[in-house]
Amino acid sequence: MSDKYDPKTIEARWQSVWDEARAWHVDNPSDLDVADPSKSYVVEMLPYPSGSLHLGHLLVYTIGDVVMRFRRRNGLRVLHPMGWDAFGLPAENAAIRAGGHPREITERNIVNIRRSMKRMGWWFDWDREISTHDPRYYRWQQWQFLRFLEQGLVYRKGAPVKWCPNDQTVVANEQVLGDGTCERCGALVESRVMEQWFFRITDYAQALLDDLDTVDWPESIKTRQRNWIGRSEGGQIVFRIEEWDEDVTVFTTRPDTLFGATFFVLAPEHDLVARIGSEEVQEYVRRAAAKKTKERAAAEEKTGVLTGLHAVNPVNGERIPVYVADYVLTDYGSGAIMAVPAHDQRDYDFAQAFGLPVRQVIRPAEGEAELPYISHSDSDVLVDSGEFDELPAPEGGRRIVERLEHEGRGRFAINYRLRDWGFSRQRYWGCPIPVVYCDTDGIVPVPDEQLPVVLPEVEDYKPKGQPPLAQAEDWVRTTCPRCGGEARRETETMDTFVDSAWYFLRYCDPENESAPFDRAPVDYWNPVDLYIGGVDHATMHMIYARF
């Protein structure tokens, strides 16, 4: 041996030996015993090929490589694959910066990153390599979409979104900078209601919550997910908007405070707000759209605008003024609240700022309390609450809901902070959504035998007034599979979170051409024994993958 370590020579030599022997490869065993104690599945979150490797990658993939080698040295059969999260905004932004086509730039980056990974000496099972932009992968994503659609777990509806008027596309909250501008182009982001595709993930909110008890994860990660799902018990209460003779439902965990409601608040994104003709209201909505959710929730100074409408409290028939205020968010309840300033700090601050009444309806059993009195002790009693006066607060709240339920103006309810997963994007570089629009038959799924619906070539893949796919007119014009008449393809694509929600399953059976994967190898290798990546993915990505 040489006394000097020469990495160019030594590393290249041994990596050549490993490659020739395919030392990094592991077969699926012929006997796929799901109880095999000698198996171990180590997987890192697959990277965006939107640039080159950086120090964050070196940390994550070195940890996985060390663990994989240690477990192999201890006699385990270890699966350690690699793939590419190749669709979506990061890859598209990289292509825009480089001045090339997203496919060209993405595939060039994949070649360079793969070369760097091999030079690092990391052992990945390259025989299982996948890329989300490969039609052989997203064909099965489209197939899954159709199964969800058949089961009613995919739907399309109008919903409030963040919209970049320059790039003409929806952006996620995380893509809006602190000053309310788009991280990609710097334009001021707007809030608007648009038709979007959704997964009905809320149907599984309780299952996602309960199953955290069965997952061997750090408690901090499970706490993040529990908070994101956000289960709370209370009542659905129906208020009537007097001027429109229309009902609005609010969710509250404190029905015992109903008699203390002195005003009513709609979030700027609430469906009703768009119907309010006041220019003052709409200007306020535009300003609110420029703020980030965390900024709105944490703001000490409360802002809002009077609508001229009144809500009728169902417990006492009192007319209370309706405001639009950005401290109310759409990620809780219905985006509308009954404001009880004597017993809620944010409502109290708003009432102080706008000179609104503060009516105490809960007090300690003994003595007085400084307002706002937030405590919810079993010894609290109701006051100034009509027939429910002097009842213990929890019992009084139950009786109030029971009365409203009898009158058809309320019911007991469980609410979740989790919202249905909106995944359609007005971008080119994503998985095409396999439906067509027919004037006769409406939304029609593309038949399985016509999958994959492959991205067409377009002259300009940047959104300009319409999704870029709309440029491919010959591709957009098609035939309805149901009636044979003229139809139009969907021109929106799926968000990259859909791509990354199931890749760890495809790794187990990557060459399967008749299904996304076969059950046997998935059952053998899963659950993943060690999953390595950023804690920032603990909520959205990892909840989506569990769904």
Side-chain angles (χ1 to χ4, degrees):
M1 288 180 64
S2 165
D3 348 346
K4 183 178 177 183
Y5 171 62
D6 179 3
K8 287 186 178 179
T9 303
I10 295 174
E11 293 294 327
R13 175 191 171 196
W14 285 107
Q15 287 171 22
S16 174
V17 170
W18 297 339
D19 277 345
E20 187 174 346
R22 293 172 66 244
W24 29 258
H25 177 70
V26 59
D27 285 317
N28 289 341
S30 55
D31 180 15
L32 291 167
D33 180 1
V34 297
D36 182 359
S38 69
K39 79 90 184 173
S40 182
Y41 188 4
V42 177
V43 61
E44 298 90 2
M45 294 180 183
L46 76 176
Y48 293 124
S50 51
S52 55
L53 287 182
H54 54 68
L55 287 176
H57 291 120
L58 297 185
L59 170 66
V60 167
Y61 299 123
T62 298
I63 292 172
D65 189 69
V66 169
V67 170
M68 179 274 300
R69 290 171 183 265
F70 177 79
R71 291 182 178 180
R72 283 199 176 184
R73 293 295 183 270
N74 281 274
L76 299 184
R77 179 193 297 270
V78 185
L79 175 59
H80 188 223
M82 176 48 61
W84 315 102
D85 201 355
F87 269 147
L89 190 63
E92 190 172 272
N93 280 346
I96 290 171
R97 289 191 298 269
H101 190 284
R103 182 180 295 104
E104 170 198 348
I105 302 300
T106 297
E107 293 180 352
R108 185 178 71 194
N109 288 342
I110 287 174
V111 169
N112 291 335
I113 296 173
R114 188 192 298 115
R115 182 187 304 118
S116 296
M117 286 180 164
K118 289 186 174 183
R119 287 189 67 194
M120 288 295 298
W122 292 329
W123 276 14
F124 293 114
D125 190 341
W126 292 107
D127 290 345
R128 296 176 185 262
E129 181 182 7
I130 61 173
S131 184
T132 61
H133 83 295
D134 186 335
R136 292 173 298 177
Y137 181 87
Y138 70 72
R139 166 194 180 184
W140 295 113
Q141 186 160 301
Q142 293 171 343
W143 181 92
Q144 292 175 71
F145 170 94
L146 295 176
R147 305 291 80 79
F148 278 89
L149 186 64
E150 289 171 357
Q151 296 298 320
L153 291 170
V154 169
Y155 66 96
R156 189 168 172 81
K157 72 166 186 177
V161 296
K162 300 292 187 184
W163 175 260
C164 174
N166 179 65
D167 289 335
Q168 296 288 300
T169 187
V170 168
V171 293
N173 284 333
E174 293 74 19
Q175 294 152 2
V176 182
L177 301 179
D179 61 357
T181 58
C182 172
E183 70 170 4
R184 182 157 88 172
C185 71
L188 191 64
V189 172
E190 302 172 355
S191 181
R192 61 169 61 181
V193 175
M194 290 183 58
E195 288 280 316
Q196 297 282 288
W197 283 100
F198 291 87
F199 283 116
R200 208 179 295 275
I201 191 172
T202 51
D203 281 10
Y204 289 80
Q206 191 59 49
L208 289 167
L209 198 58
D210 293 342
D211 287 350
L212 284 172
D213 294 336
T214 72
V215 179
D216 183 19
W217 285 356
E219 195 57 39
S220 61
I221 300 296
K222 294 199 280 189
T223 297
R224 282 172 178 252
Q225 291 209 0
R226 290 188 183 104
N227 292 340
W228 189 268
I229 296 166
R231 185 184 193 274
S232 52
E233 298 181 6
Q236 295 275 15
I237 312 299
V238 179
F239 283 72
R240 174 63 57 95
I241 301 298
E242 185 180 60
E243 288 79 2
W244 293 348
D245 196 27
E246 189 168 329
D247 288 338
V248 178
T249 300
V250 304
F251 173 81
T252 177
T253 59
R254 297 293 305 272
D256 53 339
T257 66
L258 256 167
F259 283 85
T262 59
F263 58 101
F264 194 88
V265 187
L266 299 172
E269 299 84 4
H270 194 283
D271 292 346
L272 290 181
V273 174
R275 293 164 48 188
I276 300 172
S278 162
E279 177 56 34
E280 184 181 7
V281 169
Q282 297 309 321
E283 174 57 29
Y284 181 82
V285 170
R286 286 190 285 272
R287 293 200 305 272
K291 298 180 182 179
K292 300 197 79 168
T293 300
K294 290 181 180 178
E295 177 189 357
R296 286 169 53 176
E300 293 184 8
E301 182 181 352
K302 296 295 181 282
T303 65
V305 59
L306 191 61
T307 66
L309 301 174
H310 294 83
V312 179
N313 189 331
V315 292
N316 56 15
E318 183 178 2
R319 300 167 70 249
I320 56 177
V322 178
Y323 286 80
V324 175
D326 63 7
Y327 80 92
V328 176
L329 306 173
T330 54
D331 66 353
Y332 181 79
S334 62
I337 66 163
M338 57 174 211
V340 185
H343 307 291
D344 182 275
Q345 185 66 56
R346 294 186 304 162
D347 294 346
Y348 181 82
D349 294 340
F350 189 91
Q352 294 296 102
F354 285 81
L356 295 164
V358 178
R359 181 188 306 145
Q360 181 178 358
V361 292
I362 306 286
R363 66 167 170 75
E366 301 293 336
E368 297 297 325
E370 181 180 348
L371 298 183
Y373 179 55
I374 315 296
S375 173
H376 194 189
S377 167
D378 288 347
S379 64
D380 291 343
V381 296
L382 299 188
V383 295
D384 202 9
S385 297
E387 65 193 88
F388 306 99
D389 277 358
E390 300 306 321
L391 286 174
E395 181 185 350
R398 287 194 299 272
R399 290 199 187 182
I400 287 171
V401 177
E402 286 170 357
R403 194 191 93 181
L404 292 175
E405 196 164 38
H406 178 73
E407 296 170 354
R409 306 297 295 171
R411 63 180 180 86
F412 292 101
I414 295 172
N415 182 72
Y416 298 92
R417 181 178 179 268
L418 183 70
R419 289 290 175 262
D420 279 347
W421 169 11
F423 63 89
S424 52
R425 296 291 182 266
Q426 296 71 39
R427 295 196 284 265
Y428 169 73
W429 194 235
C431 173
I433 296 173
V435 300
V436 303
Y437 296 90
C438 172
D439 291 339
T440 301
D441 294 306
I443 298 176
V444 180
V446 172
D448 288 359
E449 59 270 18
Q450 293 182 18
L451 300 180
V453 177
V454 178
L455 278 176
E457 295 300 320
V458 299
E459 292 183 4
D460 185 354
Y461 50 85
K462 304 179 189 70
K464 295 295 179 185
Q466 59 182 350
L469 286 179
Q471 299 176 32
E473 296 181 3
D474 291 342
W475 180 84
V476 173
R477 287 195 303 270
T478 188
T479 301
C480 174
R482 192 167 291 163
C483 71
E486 293 184 0
R488 304 172 306 284
R489 292 193 187 279
E490 173 62 85
T491 56
E492 295 182 344
T493 53
M494 299 187 203
D495 185 58
T496 184
F497 275 125
V498 187
D499 310 338
S500 62
W502 69 284
Y503 70 98
F504 63 99
L505 303 174
R506 183 67 177 177
Y507 279 149
C508 302
D509 196 15
E511 301 301 324
N512 197 322
E513 296 184 359
S514 59
F517 44 80
D518 186 67
R519 183 67 183 259
V522 164
D523 280 348
Y524 175 82
W525 288 112
N526 283 273
V528 172
D529 295 283
L530 181 62
Y531 191 40
I532 307 170
V535 72
D536 48 317
H537 291 291
T539 51
M540 288 184 292
H541 160 61
M542 292 175 71
I543 288 178
Y544 296 156
R546 292 177 59 219
F547 168 66

